[in-house]
Amino acid sequence: MEFDSSSSIWDGVYYHSHLFGGLMLTAALLGLSSSYFGGLGSSYLPYMLSDLGFFYKKKCEKKRIRVYMDGCFDLMHYGHANALRQAKALGDELVVGVVSDEEIVANKGPPVLSMEERLALVSGLKWVDEVIANAPYAITEKFMKSLFNEHKIDYIIHGDDPCLLPDGTDAYALAKTAGRYKQIKRTEGVSSTDIVGRILSSLKDAEACENHDNTSSLPVDDHKESQSNSSHISQFLPTSRRIVQFSNGKGPGPNARVVYIDGAFDLFHAGHVEILRSARQLGDFLLVGIHTDQIVSEHRGKGHPIMHLHERSLSVLACSYVDEVIIGAPWEVTRDMVTTFNISLVVHGTVAESNSLLAGESDPYAVPKSMGIFRMLDSLKNITTTSVAQRIVANHDAYLKRNAKKAESEKKYYAEKVHVSGD
């Protein structure tokens, strides 16, 4: 396989500048004698020394490492974000390939999110520098040459979990053979397959609860109900280190205009990215309140949220428009909150889940409204957590089949997994 080598001479100058510099200096000194260069005298010395300075300047310029990572990024979650965070740490610039809808259908089954939605999610991550749309599922020789020559990629990155094509071959075999492959650690406890399973399980639980309410005289099998509730419980174990890795680690300046927005941010989607971008544009620092699991469950019903508090917090923290989050924010925005966080503006999107207030519950934004610091933001997308879940319901059989296939590989991975250092 041949790759672009037109810059190999200058790369040699870069990596062996001491040798080229020595040759140029010798030539310059010899140039003082016309016997060596047939009349070439000291008048040429400044020009040769200026060329020598070019070589030393070239040496001082650090080569920026460009790394590439691809994926379907369907039902974007904090595991995807953590993979891209790790990939970015292996270079200076991260280029992300988003696999096309057609390739996903051929290799995994129907995607839940459209290409446009998946691009919005990936582009909105704080570690991503460039995005390539409609990337192939497998690294072909043609595409790999394109990455190396056109996109100037130095290394191709993937997680330590195997990525196999339908014929059983390794999707990254060519990159490994070329010696341009690096591996990162898979984020435990979550996958798109797992999330689809949680959604289907929560809908089943909700239906069972509704049927029970309609036939309350019938006996309930508590053991069976318990098994249903626990079949798709998150395996994610939150740590303070992971939160630090996702955090910006900076607070607002003394005169910063702090904008506050709150919500469940369950099944983080393109609508969330757009509303967070709009909110960030209204100030210097965006503070996001993430409601507790209990609050979300009280307002949305049994089976919600799909993602628990820490999972939702990491997904929001990974967004490039977010500066800080409140993990477990209260339902009501109080005057004490406004003072404590020096909030200048409280915003809320026009598109949200159809949550009605609980009996006797007051407006959660009554205080900022009374203070004249509340504003409704036009939501640019109609997508909601419920609408995403409904897409899966609409293709129930297809996703059940897809999940049954993936569940086996997930089970095998966890049964055979070994500790991998570093993340």
Side-chain angles (χ1 to χ4, degrees):
M1 187 179 301
E2 295 182 0
F3 304 114
D4 185 11
S5 59
S6 61
S7 61
S8 59
I9 295 175
W10 295 115
D11 287 342
V13 171
Y14 171 73
Y15 290 110
H16 305 286
S17 56
H18 58 286
L19 175 60
F20 281 85
L23 290 174
M24 291 299 296
L25 181 59
T26 301
L29 292 174
L30 290 176
L32 294 173
S33 171
S34 60
S35 61
Y36 281 91
F37 289 94
L40 182 64
S42 59
S43 61
Y44 190 65
L45 180 61
Y47 299 100
M48 301 197 77
L49 289 177
S50 66
D51 288 338
L52 180 60
F54 165 78
F55 294 129
Y56 284 116
K57 182 179 179 182
K58 183 93 174 176
K59 180 180 179 181
C60 294
E61 293 176 357
K62 180 184 176 183
K63 184 181 186 301
R64 292 186 66 78
I65 303 299
R66 285 169 62 83
V67 296
Y68 172 83
M69 188 171 191
D70 59 17
C72 302
F73 304 108
D74 198 21
L75 289 178
M76 189 82 180
H77 52 71
Y78 64 91
H80 291 135
N82 192 47
L84 295 174
R85 179 192 65 79
Q86 293 180 75
K88 179 63 179 282
L90 295 176
D92 301 299
E93 297 171 2
L94 174 61
V95 180
V96 180
V98 181
V99 177
S100 69
D101 293 344
E102 294 76 17
E103 291 268 303
I104 297 176
V105 171
N107 290 277
K108 300 181 71 173
V112 179
L113 304 181
S114 68
M115 168 59 72
E116 179 190 2
E117 290 167 339
R118 292 184 287 119
L119 284 174
L121 284 163
V122 173
S123 301
L125 289 176
K126 61 176 65 174
W127 301 285
V128 176
D129 297 295
E130 298 176 27
V131 177
I132 299 175
N134 295 309
Y137 187 80
I139 302 292
T140 62
E141 185 170 343
K142 180 181 178 181
F143 185 67
M144 187 165 70
K145 288 179 69 174
S146 167
L147 289 178
F148 294 159
N149 297 335
E150 297 174 24
H151 298 283
K152 307 301 179 185
I153 298 299
D154 295 286
Y155 297 102
I156 294 172
I157 317 294
H158 187 63
D160 59 4
D161 52 320
C163 183
L164 303 178
L165 299 174
D167 62 3
T169 58
D170 185 353
Y172 295 89
L174 286 175
K176 293 175 181 178
T177 302
R180 306 279 284 272
Y181 176 85
K182 288 191 175 184
Q183 186 170 282
I184 58 170
K185 185 177 180 179
R186 167 180 165 146
T187 302
E188 306 290 1
V190 68
S191 68
S192 297
T193 303
D194 167 56
I195 294 173
V196 169
R198 292 193 211 180
I199 293 171
L200 293 174
S201 179
S202 69
L203 292 172
K204 187 185 297 183
D205 290 344
E207 288 177 4
C209 183
E210 184 177 339
N211 290 336
H212 174 249
D213 290 340
N214 294 335
T215 57
S216 57
S217 60
L218 296 177
V220 178
D221 188 338
D222 293 333
H223 176 66
K224 188 174 182 179
E225 184 176 353
S226 175
Q227 281 186 320
S228 174
N229 290 337
S230 62
S231 59
H232 285 282
I233 293 176
S234 170
Q235 300 182 58
F236 174 63
L237 300 176
T239 63
S240 58
R241 181 165 170 266
R242 180 71 75 226
I243 293 173
V244 169
Q245 289 171 334
F246 275 52
S247 175
N248 290 346
K250 296 179 181 179
N255 299 314
R257 179 176 169 83
V258 178
V259 178
Y260 178 76
I261 185 171
D262 60 9
F265 296 97
D266 199 14
L267 293 181
F268 197 75
H269 53 68
H272 292 139
V273 175
E274 293 299 335
I275 199 67
L276 291 174
R277 180 174 63 176
S278 297
R280 182 64 175 79
Q281 290 173 345
L282 297 176
D284 310 304
F285 191 91
L286 181 59
L287 175 65
V288 183
I290 317 294
H291 292 150
T292 65
D293 294 346
Q294 181 180 348
I295 287 175
V296 177
S297 181
E298 287 175 352
H299 288 83
R300 298 192 183 178
K302 187 176 176 64
H304 295 280
I306 305 297
M307 313 292 286
H308 71 57
L309 176 61
H310 288 92
E311 293 176 310
R312 293 182 284 118
S313 297
L314 288 178
S315 292
V316 174
L317 265 178
C319 182
S320 60
Y321 308 114
V322 176
D323 295 290
E324 180 66 289
V325 302
I326 299 176
I327 303 175
W331 177 251
E332 292 186 25
V333 180
T334 64
R335 188 174 294 272
D336 181 66
M337 272 184 65
V338 172
T339 302
T340 299
F341 294 102
N342 196 29
I343 296 171
S344 303
L345 182 67
V346 176
V347 298
H348 190 64
T350 53
V351 173
E353 299 294 330
S354 55
N355 303 324
S356 57
L357 294 177
L358 299 178
E361 190 174 53
S362 59
D363 181 357
Y365 303 109
V367 168
K369 286 177 180 177
S370 69
M371 297 174 67
I373 59 169
F374 179 81
R375 177 173 169 180
M376 291 296 295
L377 282 183
D378 289 332
S379 299
L380 300 180
K381 293 184 180 296
N382 291 323
I383 183 174
T384 64
T385 300
T386 299
S387 69
V388 171
Q390 286 173 344
R391 296 181 193 180
I392 296 173
V393 175
N395 293 280
H396 183 269
D397 293 339
Y399 287 114
L400 275 180
K401 183 178 179 181
R402 166 180 157 173
N403 265 33
K405 181 180 177 182
K406 290 291 293 181
E408 287 302 316
S409 61
E410 290 278 311
K411 187 183 296 184
K412 182 179 179 182
Y413 170 81
Y414 280 108
E416 298 176 355
K417 80 169 186 176
V418 294
H419 174 72
V420 179
S421 61
D423 65 341

